[in-house]
Amino acid sequence: MNDDLELRVDGARPLTVEAIAAVGAVCDTAEDRGGRGRVVVYVSGAPDGPRPAGLTVAVVSKWERALRRLERLPAATVAVADGDCGGLALDALLATDHRIATESVRLVVPVEGGATWPGMAVYRLAHRAGSTAVAIRRAVLFGTPLPARDALALQLLDEVTDDVSAALAAAEPLGELSGPELAIRRQLLFDASTAGFEEALGVHLAACDRDLRRTGSGAVS
């Protein structure tokens, strides 16, 4: 798809300001284009060994904010995962709309100093697959890798395939649904599991009103 933007995230690399800037640059372009096309995020790799010295909470916060921006883009985001995906790769994978994986994929929560990394990947794993799932508990508490087929069964992945090109081609129509309306629908979906009915009702009615005005299909009062 000619309108695709690409982002490559290597989970074996440490978190740096350059990694944050790369996400920000893709988000800038997607927003400038009004969400036209897709953002395809290629993820692979997992940390192997101790974290480099000098990482601060301030840098982690900037990374999490960059991922949140990716998660809220007015463009459809599609991840393509290969091999072990941990660290930055796992973070980016879980922030996308549609996730394609090869059979070799394993989702890995990194372990160092006798504990797993408590970043927002933990939140996204539990929020999307359920904190009571045995595989999620083991991944979050003990760093037990989650194989592709298990992740698919938990709906953390949308497709496991040995033909990534065909899967990407089949997902091309996702790029046709873009712009602010996509971002609004995505946020409604995010909030659905935590908002009470009365709280959600007002937000959904506002979105319905917006859509009626946008399409010109609402009744004139």
Side-chain angles (χ1 to χ4, degrees), residues 20-198:
I20 297 168
V23 175
V26 167
C27 291
D28 285 343
T29 303
E31 290 166 354
D32 289 345
R33 299 193 327 184
R36 187 179 73 252
R38 306 177 300 181
V39 176
V40 181
V41 185
Y42 293 91
V43 297
S44 63
D48 183 16
R51 285 187 295 271
L55 182 63
T56 66
V57 171
V59 173
V60 175
S61 177
K62 289 179 181 178
W63 170 248
E64 297 291 3
R65 292 179 185 278
L67 290 177
R68 188 59 166 160
R69 188 179 172 196
L70 176 69
E71 200 169 36
R72 292 178 167 181
L73 282 180
T77 54
V78 179
V80 176
D82 185 42
D84 280 2
C85 291
L88 307 187
L90 179 61
D91 289 342
L93 171 71
L94 295 175
T96 57
D97 297 319
H98 186 77
R99 302 166 202 144
I100 300 167
T102 65
E103 292 280 0
S104 67
V105 161
R106 298 192 310 165
L107 307 188
V108 182
V109 179
V111 176
E112 184 175 350
T116 55
W117 176 246
M120 287 298 286
V122 169
Y123 169 84
R124 291 186 174 95
L125 283 169
H127 185 71
R128 288 166 189 174
S131 59
T132 60
V134 172
I136 296 301
R137 291 205 314 274
R138 289 175 177 169
V140 170
L141 298 179
F142 310 117
T144 305
L146 195 62
R149 289 292 170 181
D150 291 351
L152 180 66
L154 289 167
Q155 301 182 45
L156 294 169
L157 299 173
D158 293 279
E159 184 174 359
V160 175
T161 180
D162 57 2
D163 192 341
V164 169
S165 296
L168 273 175
E172 279 191 9
L174 298 179
E176 299 170 5
L177 301 175
S178 63
E181 300 308 314
L182 173 63
I184 289 172
R185 303 307 186 275
R186 189 190 291 123
Q187 191 60 47
L188 292 174
L189 188 62
F190 287 160
D191 294 342
S193 62
T194 56
F197 178 84
E198 295 299 335

Side-chain angles (χ1 to χ4, degrees), residues 7 14-24 63 66 88:
L7 173 66
L15 175 56
T16 62
V17 293
E18 289 77 16
I20 297 168
V23 175
W63 170 248
L88 307 187

